[in-house]
mmCIF file of all heavy atoms in Angstrom:
data_model
loop_
_atom_site.group_PDB
_atom_site.id
_atom_site.type_symbol
_atom_site.label_atom_id
_atom_site.label_comp_id
_atom_site.label_asym_id
_atom_site.label_seq_id
_atom_site.Cartn_x
_atom_site.Cartn_y
_atom_site.Cartn_z
ATOM 1 N N PRO A 793 21.444 -15.306 9.748
ATOM 2 C CA PRO A 793 20.866 -16.054 8.625
ATOM 3 C C PRO A 793 19.438 -15.605 8.307
ATOM 4 O O PRO A 793 18.484 -16.364 8.397
ATOM 5 C CB PRO A 793 20.909 -17.502 9.123
ATOM 6 C CG PRO A 793 20.774 -17.368 10.608
ATOM 7 C CD PRO A 793 21.505 -16.095 10.971
ATOM 8 N N LEU A 794 19.302 -14.326 7.948
ATOM 9 C CA LEU A 794 17.993 -13.740 7.655
ATOM 10 C C LEU A 794 18.053 -13.021 6.317
ATOM 11 O O LEU A 794 19.084 -12.446 5.959
ATOM 12 C CB LEU A 794 17.605 -12.737 8.743
ATOM 13 C CG LEU A 794 17.428 -13.282 10.152
ATOM 14 C CD1 LEU A 794 17.308 -12.139 11.148
ATOM 15 C CD2 LEU A 794 16.215 -14.183 10.223
ATOM 16 N N THR A 795 16.951 -13.017 5.598
ATOM 17 C CA THR A 795 16.853 -12.297 4.336
ATOM 18 C C THR A 795 16.178 -10.962 4.598
ATOM 19 O O THR A 795 15.026 -10.906 5.032
ATOM 20 C CB THR A 795 16.034 -13.111 3.315
ATOM 21 O OG1 THR A 795 16.656 -14.377 3.146
ATOM 22 C CG2 THR A 795 15.958 -12.386 1.981
ATOM 23 N N SER A 796 16.905 -9.875 4.324
ATOM 24 C CA SER A 796 16.392 -8.531 4.556
ATOM 25 C C SER A 796 15.378 -8.157 3.476
ATOM 26 O O SER A 796 15.591 -8.406 2.292
ATOM 27 C CB SER A 796 17.554 -7.540 4.556
ATOM 28 O OG SER A 796 17.089 -6.231 4.745
ATOM 29 N N VAL A 797 14.269 -7.553 3.920
ATOM 30 C CA VAL A 797 13.229 -7.082 3.014
ATOM 31 C C VAL A 797 13.314 -5.569 2.874
ATOM 32 O O VAL A 797 13.192 -5.015 1.793
ATOM 33 C CB VAL A 797 11.831 -7.509 3.530
ATOM 34 C CG1 VAL A 797 10.722 -6.905 2.696
ATOM 35 C CG2 VAL A 797 11.722 -9.020 3.582
ATOM 36 N N GLU A 798 13.552 -4.892 3.991
ATOM 37 C CA GLU A 798 13.640 -3.426 4.021
ATOM 38 C C GLU A 798 14.406 -3.051 5.286
ATOM 39 O O GLU A 798 14.331 -3.743 6.290
ATOM 40 C CB GLU A 798 12.234 -2.830 4.045
ATOM 41 C CG GLU A 798 12.184 -1.336 3.946
ATOM 42 C CD GLU A 798 10.756 -0.794 3.847
ATOM 43 O OE1 GLU A 798 9.794 -1.572 3.859
ATOM 44 O OE2 GLU A 798 10.630 0.443 3.779
ATOM 45 N N ARG A 799 15.123 -1.938 5.230
ATOM 46 C CA ARG A 799 15.872 -1.545 6.417
ATOM 47 C C ARG A 799 16.057 -0.036 6.466
ATOM 48 O O ARG A 799 15.979 0.645 5.462
ATOM 49 C CB ARG A 799 17.212 -2.267 6.504
ATOM 50 C CG ARG A 799 18.194 -1.944 5.432
ATOM 51 C CD ARG A 799 19.483 -2.790 5.452
ATOM 52 N NE ARG A 799 20.212 -2.709 6.675
ATOM 53 C CZ ARG A 799 20.399 -3.731 7.529
ATOM 54 N NH1 ARG A 799 19.926 -4.906 7.257
ATOM 55 N NH2 ARG A 799 21.075 -3.567 8.632
ATOM 56 N N SER A 800 16.302 0.426 7.673
ATOM 57 C CA SER A 800 16.695 1.808 7.920
ATOM 58 C C SER A 800 17.952 1.718 8.779
ATOM 59 O O SER A 800 18.464 0.632 9.038
ATOM 60 C CB SER A 800 15.575 2.568 8.643
ATOM 61 O OG SER A 800 15.432 2.092 9.971
ATOM 62 N N GLU A 801 18.417 2.837 9.242
ATOM 63 C CA GLU A 801 19.603 2.835 10.095
ATOM 64 C C GLU A 801 19.335 2.147 11.438
ATOM 65 O O GLU A 801 20.222 1.544 12.031
ATOM 66 C CB GLU A 801 20.064 4.275 10.339
ATOM 67 C CG GLU A 801 21.331 4.372 11.156
ATOM 68 C CD GLU A 801 21.743 5.820 11.390
ATOM 69 O OE1 GLU A 801 21.557 6.652 10.485
ATOM 70 O OE2 GLU A 801 22.247 6.088 12.485
ATOM 71 N N LEU A 802 18.086 2.215 11.918
ATOM 72 C CA LEU A 802 17.775 1.728 13.263
ATOM 73 C C LEU A 802 16.914 0.478 13.331
ATOM 74 O O LEU A 802 16.717 -0.091 14.407
ATOM 75 C CB LEU A 802 17.083 2.851 14.058
ATOM 76 C CG LEU A 802 17.901 4.116 14.270
ATOM 77 C CD1 LEU A 802 17.061 5.189 14.944
ATOM 78 C CD2 LEU A 802 19.145 3.813 15.076
ATOM 79 N N ALA A 803 16.367 0.036 12.196
ATOM 80 C CA ALA A 803 15.458 -1.117 12.223
ATOM 81 C C ALA A 803 15.489 -1.823 10.869
ATOM 82 O O ALA A 803 15.955 -1.257 9.871
ATOM 83 C CB ALA A 803 14.040 -0.661 12.550
ATOM 84 N N ALA A 804 14.994 -3.057 10.861
ATOM 85 C CA ALA A 804 14.950 -3.821 9.613
ATOM 86 C C ALA A 804 13.748 -4.754 9.621
ATOM 87 O O ALA A 804 13.245 -5.143 10.679
ATOM 88 C CB ALA A 804 16.231 -4.622 9.434
ATOM 89 N N VAL A 805 13.305 -5.088 8.403
ATOM 90 C CA VAL A 805 12.260 -6.092 8.213
ATOM 91 C C VAL A 805 12.917 -7.252 7.473
ATOM 92 O O VAL A 805 13.606 -7.052 6.470
ATOM 93 C CB VAL A 805 11.071 -5.537 7.406
ATOM 94 C CG1 VAL A 805 10.048 -6.630 7.124
ATOM 95 C CG2 VAL A 805 10.423 -4.368 8.136
ATOM 96 N N TYR A 806 12.707 -8.461 7.991
ATOM 97 C CA TYR A 806 13.274 -9.677 7.413
ATOM 98 C C TYR A 806 12.169 -10.682 7.140
ATOM 99 O O TYR A 806 11.130 -10.666 7.805
ATOM 100 C CB TYR A 806 14.248 -10.358 8.392
ATOM 101 C CG TYR A 806 15.368 -9.495 8.883
ATOM 102 C CD1 TYR A 806 15.276 -8.844 10.109
ATOM 103 C CD2 TYR A 806 16.532 -9.356 8.135
ATOM 104 C CE1 TYR A 806 16.316 -8.060 10.573
ATOM 105 C CE2 TYR A 806 17.578 -8.572 8.604
ATOM 106 C CZ TYR A 806 17.464 -7.925 9.818
ATOM 107 O OH TYR A 806 18.497 -7.146 10.286
ATOM 108 N N ARG A 807 12.443 -11.610 6.229
ATOM 109 C CA ARG A 807 11.574 -12.781 6.105
ATOM 110 C C ARG A 807 11.771 -13.600 7.376
ATOM 111 O O ARG A 807 12.899 -13.757 7.843
ATOM 112 C CB ARG A 807 11.959 -13.613 4.889
ATOM 113 C CG ARG A 807 11.531 -12.983 3.600
ATOM 114 C CD ARG A 807 11.683 -13.962 2.433
ATOM 115 N NE ARG A 807 11.299 -13.294 1.231
ATOM 116 C CZ ARG A 807 12.147 -12.610 0.445
ATOM 117 N NH1 ARG A 807 13.423 -12.543 0.755
ATOM 118 N NH2 ARG A 807 11.718 -12.018 -0.627
ATOM 119 N N HIS A 808 10.687 -14.107 7.927
ATOM 120 C CA HIS A 808 10.791 -14.911 9.141
ATOM 121 C C HIS A 808 11.570 -16.190 8.822
ATOM 122 O O HIS A 808 11.303 -16.840 7.805
ATOM 123 C CB HIS A 808 9.398 -15.252 9.673
ATOM 124 C CG HIS A 808 9.397 -15.733 11.084
ATOM 125 N ND1 HIS A 808 9.912 -16.957 11.434
ATOM 126 C CD2 HIS A 808 8.962 -15.156 12.229
ATOM 127 C CE1 HIS A 808 9.797 -17.119 12.742
ATOM 128 N NE2 HIS A 808 9.219 -16.039 13.245
ATOM 129 N N PRO A 809 12.539 -16.554 9.673
ATOM 130 C CA PRO A 809 13.346 -17.738 9.369
ATOM 131 C C PRO A 809 12.562 -19.054 9.464
ATOM 132 O O PRO A 809 12.917 -20.037 8.827
ATOM 133 C CB PRO A 809 14.463 -17.697 10.411
ATOM 134 C CG PRO A 809 13.920 -16.865 11.524
ATOM 135 C CD PRO A 809 12.979 -15.879 10.892
ATOM 136 N N ARG A 810 11.507 -19.081 10.250
ATOM 137 C CA ARG A 810 10.652 -20.270 10.385
ATOM 138 C C ARG A 810 9.199 -19.813 10.377
ATOM 139 O O ARG A 810 8.541 -19.780 11.420
ATOM 140 C CB ARG A 810 10.973 -21.020 11.679
ATOM 141 C CG ARG A 810 12.351 -21.660 11.695
ATOM 142 C CD ARG A 810 12.605 -22.478 12.950
ATOM 143 N NE ARG A 810 12.108 -21.904 14.185
ATOM 144 C CZ ARG A 810 12.765 -21.050 14.977
ATOM 145 N NH1 ARG A 810 13.976 -20.667 14.657
ATOM 146 N NH2 ARG A 810 12.233 -20.603 16.084
ATOM 147 N N PRO A 811 8.664 -19.442 9.185
ATOM 148 C CA PRO A 811 7.311 -18.866 9.133
ATOM 149 C C PRO A 811 6.250 -19.838 9.638
ATOM 150 O O PRO A 811 6.311 -21.030 9.365
ATOM 151 C CB PRO A 811 7.109 -18.558 7.657
ATOM 152 C CG PRO A 811 8.109 -19.378 6.934
ATOM 153 C CD PRO A 811 9.244 -19.628 7.877
ATOM 154 N N VAL A 812 5.324 -19.293 10.404
ATOM 155 C CA VAL A 812 4.221 -20.109 10.913
ATOM 156 C C VAL A 812 2.860 -19.502 10.600
ATOM 157 O O VAL A 812 1.849 -20.163 10.770
ATOM 158 C CB VAL A 812 4.333 -20.341 12.447
ATOM 159 C CG1 VAL A 812 5.543 -21.188 12.757
ATOM 160 C CG2 VAL A 812 4.386 -19.033 13.203
ATOM 161 N N TYR A 813 2.824 -18.251 10.159
ATOM 162 C CA TYR A 813 1.557 -17.585 9.874
ATOM 163 C C TYR A 813 1.453 -17.286 8.384
ATOM 164 O O TYR A 813 2.392 -16.783 7.781
ATOM 165 C CB TYR A 813 1.452 -16.245 10.611
ATOM 166 C CG TYR A 813 1.581 -16.284 12.100
ATOM 167 C CD1 TYR A 813 2.537 -15.513 12.742
ATOM 168 C CD2 TYR A 813 0.734 -17.052 12.885
ATOM 169 C CE1 TYR A 813 2.646 -15.507 14.119
ATOM 170 C CE2 TYR A 813 0.841 -17.068 14.262
ATOM 171 C CZ TYR A 813 1.805 -16.290 14.878
ATOM 172 O OH TYR A 813 1.914 -16.299 16.230
ATOM 173 N N GLY A 814 0.304 -17.521 7.798
ATOM 174 C CA GLY A 814 -0.058 -17.005 6.484
ATOM 175 C C GLY A 814 0.836 -17.397 5.327
ATOM 176 O O GLY A 814 1.704 -18.244 5.429
ATOM 177 N N THR A 815 0.596 -16.728 4.182
ATOM 178 C CA THR A 815 1.403 -16.982 2.996
ATOM 179 C C THR A 815 2.676 -16.146 2.992
ATOM 180 O O THR A 815 3.599 -16.446 2.250
ATOM 181 C CB THR A 815 0.598 -16.691 1.714
ATOM 182 O OG1 THR A 815 0.155 -15.333 1.740
ATOM 183 C CG2 THR A 815 -0.602 -17.622 1.585
ATOM 184 N N PHE A 816 2.694 -15.073 3.772
ATOM 185 C CA PHE A 816 3.962 -14.404 4.019
ATOM 186 C C PHE A 816 4.060 -14.116 5.513
ATOM 187 O O PHE A 816 3.060 -13.927 6.187
ATOM 188 C CB PHE A 816 4.160 -13.137 3.172
ATOM 189 C CG PHE A 816 3.456 -11.910 3.685
ATOM 190 C CD1 PHE A 816 4.055 -11.078 4.628
ATOM 191 C CD2 PHE A 816 2.205 -11.565 3.221
ATOM 192 C CE1 PHE A 816 3.413 -9.944 5.088
ATOM 193 C CE2 PHE A 816 1.558 -10.433 3.683
ATOM 194 C CZ PHE A 816 2.152 -9.615 4.624
ATOM 195 N N HIS A 817 5.279 -14.130 6.006
ATOM 196 C CA HIS A 817 5.525 -13.902 7.428
ATOM 197 C C HIS A 817 6.882 -13.230 7.544
ATOM 198 O O HIS A 817 7.909 -13.824 7.230
ATOM 199 C CB HIS A 817 5.514 -15.238 8.175
ATOM 200 C CG HIS A 817 5.617 -15.103 9.658
ATOM 201 N ND1 HIS A 817 5.510 -16.186 10.501
ATOM 202 C CD2 HIS A 817 5.836 -14.041 10.471
ATOM 203 C CE1 HIS A 817 5.644 -15.795 11.759
ATOM 204 N NE2 HIS A 817 5.848 -14.485 11.753
ATOM 205 N N HIS A 818 6.856 -11.964 7.952
ATOM 206 C CA HIS A 818 8.080 -11.197 8.141
ATOM 207 C C HIS A 818 8.207 -10.805 9.601
ATOM 208 O O HIS A 818 7.234 -10.870 10.356
ATOM 209 C CB HIS A 818 8.061 -9.922 7.279
ATOM 210 C CG HIS A 818 8.070 -10.200 5.821
ATOM 211 N ND1 HIS A 818 7.455 -9.383 4.910
ATOM 212 C CD2 HIS A 818 8.590 -11.212 5.091
ATOM 213 C CE1 HIS A 818 7.613 -9.855 3.692
ATOM 214 N NE2 HIS A 818 8.303 -10.975 3.781
ATOM 215 N N ILE A 819 9.405 -10.372 9.984
ATOM 216 C CA ILE A 819 9.608 -9.809 11.317
ATOM 217 C C ILE A 819 10.270 -8.445 11.171
ATOM 218 O O ILE A 819 11.125 -8.247 10.317
ATOM 219 C CB ILE A 819 10.450 -10.722 12.242
ATOM 220 C CG1 ILE A 819 11.785 -11.091 11.609
ATOM 221 C CG2 ILE A 819 9.664 -11.953 12.651
ATOM 222 C CD1 ILE A 819 12.744 -11.824 12.536
ATOM 223 N N ALA A 820 9.823 -7.501 11.992
ATOM 224 C CA ALA A 820 10.431 -6.170 12.062
ATOM 225 C C ALA A 820 11.181 -6.107 13.390
ATOM 226 O O ALA A 820 10.612 -6.414 14.440
ATOM 227 C CB ALA A 820 9.362 -5.088 11.982
ATOM 228 N N VAL A 821 12.458 -5.726 13.315
ATOM 229 C CA VAL A 821 13.342 -5.817 14.480
ATOM 230 C C VAL A 821 14.173 -4.542 14.602
ATOM 231 O O VAL A 821 14.726 -4.061 13.615
ATOM 232 C CB VAL A 821 14.303 -7.023 14.323
ATOM 233 C CG1 VAL A 821 15.159 -7.216 15.558
ATOM 234 C CG2 VAL A 821 13.549 -8.287 13.988
ATOM 235 N N PRO A 822 14.292 -4.001 15.826
ATOM 236 C CA PRO A 822 15.226 -2.889 16.016
ATOM 237 C C PRO A 822 16.666 -3.375 15.845
ATOM 238 O O PRO A 822 16.977 -4.514 16.202
ATOM 239 C CB PRO A 822 14.994 -2.430 17.460
ATOM 240 C CG PRO A 822 13.981 -3.326 18.047
ATOM 241 C CD PRO A 822 13.599 -4.361 17.055
ATOM 242 N N LEU A 823 17.519 -2.527 15.297
ATOM 243 C CA LEU A 823 18.932 -2.874 15.138
ATOM 244 C C LEU A 823 19.742 -2.377 16.340
ATOM 245 O O LEU A 823 20.888 -1.943 16.203
ATOM 246 C CB LEU A 823 19.471 -2.308 13.822
ATOM 247 C CG LEU A 823 18.809 -2.892 12.577
ATOM 248 C CD1 LEU A 823 19.342 -2.236 11.321
ATOM 249 C CD2 LEU A 823 18.977 -4.407 12.530
#
Side-chain angles (χ1 to χ4, degrees):
L794 297 169
T795 302
S796 179
V797 174
E798 185 175 0
R799 65 186 302 114
S800 69
E801 183 181 324
L802 298 174
V805 175
Y806 304 97
R807 286 191 182 90
H808 196 290
R810 293 184 320 272
V812 294
Y813 302 124
T815 58
F816 80 87
H817 186 174
H818 295 148
I819 54 172
V821 184
L823 296 177

